[in-house]
Amino acid sequence: MTPPGVGAAAGEVVVIVDPFSTGALLAPAFNRQGRRCVAVLTGTINERYAAGLRRDDFLTVLTVRGESPQALGAAAEMLAPMRPVEVIAGSEWGVNVADDLAELLGLPGNVRSADRPRREKPAMMNAVSGAGLRVPLGAKVGSVEELDDWLATSRVLPVVVKPAASAGSEGVYFCTDEAQARAATAKLLGATNAMGQPNDSLLVQEQLVGQQYFVNSVSLDGRHHIHEIWRDDRFFIDGRPVYDRQVLLDGTGAIEGVLRPFVEGVLDALGVRTGPAHTELLVDDRGPVLIESGARLEGGVTPAGPERATGVSQLSLTVERYTDPDRFARRIGAGYQRQRALMVICLVAPHDGTVGEGAAQRLAEIPSVFCGSALDLLPGTPVHRTIDLFTSPGHLYLIADDPGRLEDDYQRIRALEQKDLYEYR
């Protein structure tokens, strides 16, 4: 069988594995630069994201039937006649398959390792710790009995229990005692996580107290361009972390000078040599410590926000890295400048209910609000009590010359949520 798109000229085809969340924007952006794209689906995406696939953005859409050598080999055989020049993970779901296909097609990619440190959190911690960088004390467990053994040996409490491979703070439990840790372990093991995969193992780690941050980057030949550093504020509901707001830092302060080399070391340890990455970390009185890192675009992003604040976004830089690598290379080491204050607010529904009449309009009238999925909320749309990123009703981007304006509008939005945005059963 000859796949569609075989006639594409050499040097024009980009393969995007699981182009969902922010990765759904990659193909249109590449298309505008004269590249044509092929989507490869792994079949592990959850329904919420799968419904957003835009087939018209692609020459063709292929599906990999599992990650066996036979399935990957068949996919590579289908792709080879199209002469692709790049393979990119379009989301967390596609990281492993993107690595495998790049190797099979003889294309540049990240360093491959059998233990999958860019996807499996226990392997990630081992790789980063082995490079001399700080990670939480923890272990991989596959049963409540293994958890008990680790707790008895380490004498660590409180702890965090979470799936070995997931995203969006889904399935993350903060446990103050052994009973809570056992209950979380029993609940998570065998359950299907947000990645559409069963939790065969979990990661249990010491709970750290400090300020969270995340750092977005794009890499070229093992050199990393740090282009966004964000303060990441969260709070807890039923012992689980819920996204509150993210504030873009100016790129030149003292904390930025601490985070930048740490994140570059993490990326090196994980074998990230090409493309985007999103790294989450925490800073306490001992300095930075890794939470996790994803070898893909930050999820759920509206690129217009960073572009208004800094002139570029992770999306635009990723496309530039592949279409104009010489220009991108000149950015490496130059950092970034924040031209306007930028904040992202994740909505939090206190209870199950529905979106209230006029909710989107009330949010749109707030002076600094300029975009975000929350502006598309329709009256009567069901909302669920927010317990993680996937149960947030939506998000908003706020931008202003004065950071104080953002703080005032943040408080106004939280007040609206208590009485005007949702209707409860």
Side-chain angles (χ1 to χ4, degrees):
M1 174 181 175
T2 300
V6 165
E12 290 189 347
V13 173
V14 176
V15 176
I16 307 174
V17 183
D18 283 338
F20 302 107
S21 186
T22 311
L25 305 176
L26 281 167
F30 275 115
N31 291 340
R32 289 192 292 270
Q33 297 299 317
R35 296 290 177 97
R36 288 177 280 180
C37 299
V38 172
V40 172
L41 309 183
T42 65
T44 59
I45 190 77
N46 68 28
E47 293 181 2
R48 174 179 175 179
Y49 288 108
L53 179 67
R54 302 189 295 202
R55 291 179 177 267
D56 291 345
D57 292 336
F58 300 96
L59 285 168
T60 189
V61 177
L62 306 177
T63 299
V64 177
R65 304 296 180 184
E67 296 185 17
S68 68
Q70 294 78 11
L72 292 165
E77 287 182 7
M78 291 285 286
L79 291 167
M82 304 180 213
R83 294 170 289 179
V85 294
E86 307 287 354
V87 179
I88 304 172
S91 62
E92 186 73 11
W93 288 269
V95 168
N96 285 349
V97 170
D99 288 343
D100 293 335
L101 289 178
E103 181 176 63
L104 288 170
L105 293 167
L107 298 175
N110 294 321
V111 179
R112 289 190 75 250
S113 177
D115 58 357
R116 304 289 198 180
R118 289 181 295 278
R119 225 6 224 104
E120 299 295 330
K121 292 182 177 67
M124 179 182 297
M125 297 302 155
N126 289 338
V128 173
S129 176
L133 299 171
R134 186 174 164 219
V135 302
L137 180 64
K140 180 179 179 179
V141 299
S143 67
V144 174
E145 291 74 21
E146 289 182 6
L147 170 77
D148 287 339
D149 290 343
W150 185 81
L151 290 174
T153 302
S154 68
R155 299 184 179 181
V156 170
L157 281 172
V159 295
V160 181
V161 179
K162 57 185 176 182
S166 192
S169 76
E170 180 265 344
V172 177
Y173 288 87
F174 286 71
C175 308
T176 59
D177 56 36
E178 294 179 4
Q180 289 181 353
R182 290 192 194 97
T185 300
K187 182 175 182 178
L188 290 171
L189 281 173
T192 300
N193 61 38
M195 309 304 294
Q197 300 166 339
N199 292 325
D200 296 326
S201 62
L202 307 175
L203 185 62
V204 55
Q205 295 176 316
E206 62 176 322
Q207 180 179 337
L208 301 169
V209 177
Q211 177 62 54
Q212 285 194 212
Y213 299 88
F214 66 82
V215 176
N216 289 334
S217 59
V218 179
S219 301
L220 170 66
D221 298 332
R223 296 185 296 152
H224 315 298
H225 176 49
I226 305 297
H227 60 86
E228 294 172 28
I229 301 175
W230 294 74
R231 193 188 81 220
D232 185 1
D233 295 340
R234 305 186 187 190
F235 50 81
F236 291 88
I237 295 177
D238 296 342
R240 302 173 69 178
V242 171
Y243 288 72
D244 177 15
R245 59 179 169 177
Q246 297 88 45
V247 179
L248 180 66
L249 303 185
D250 63 16
T252 59
I255 191 63
E256 291 88 330
V258 171
L259 298 180
R260 188 176 291 108
F262 183 88
V263 170
E264 290 174 347
V266 167
L267 298 176
D268 288 342
L270 297 179
V272 174
R273 293 191 51 80
T274 185
H278 172 71
T279 303
E280 300 178 9
L281 58 160
L282 179 145
V283 176
D284 60 13
D285 55 4
R286 296 173 53 197
V289 56
L290 178 67
I291 297 175
E292 59 186 59
S293 183
R296 37 73 180 175
L297 295 167
E298 179 194 354
V301 171
T302 303
E307 287 168 5
R308 287 196 184 191
T310 70
V312 296
S313 67
Q314 192 176 33
L315 177 73
S316 71
L317 289 171
T318 297
V319 173
E320 181 182 274
R321 177 258 171 271
Y322 291 107
T323 60
D324 194 350
D326 290 339
R327 181 181 182 186
F328 177 81
R330 292 192 291 270
R331 298 182 185 273
I332 297 175
Y336 70 93
Q337 291 186 334
R338 188 189 65 185
Q339 298 152 11
R340 303 187 74 190
L342 179 66
M343 179 187 296
V344 179
I345 297 178
C346 295
L347 297 188
V348 177
H351 308 284
D352 290 350
T354 59
V355 175
E357 193 70 35
Q361 181 179 349
R362 291 186 182 92
L363 294 171
E365 291 170 351
I366 296 173
S368 63
V369 170
F370 75 96
C371 71
S373 62
L375 298 181
D376 298 325
L377 290 172
L378 298 175
T381 302
V383 295
H384 301 284
R385 179 172 179 261
T386 301
I387 57 172
D388 55 26
L389 180 63
F390 297 103
T391 48
S392 169
H395 68 279
L396 293 165
Y397 279 82
L398 283 63
I399 195 164
D401 294 325
D402 178 13
R405 172 80 266 171
L406 300 189
E407 180 62 30
D408 291 345
D409 289 349
Y410 164 80
Q411 298 295 341
R412 180 175 173 183
I413 290 167
R414 289 297 182 226
L416 282 173
E417 284 196 296
Q418 295 302 312
K419 59 181 180 178
D420 293 322
L421 292 190
Y422 317 117
E423 295 178 359
Y424 302 117
R425 301 185 182 98

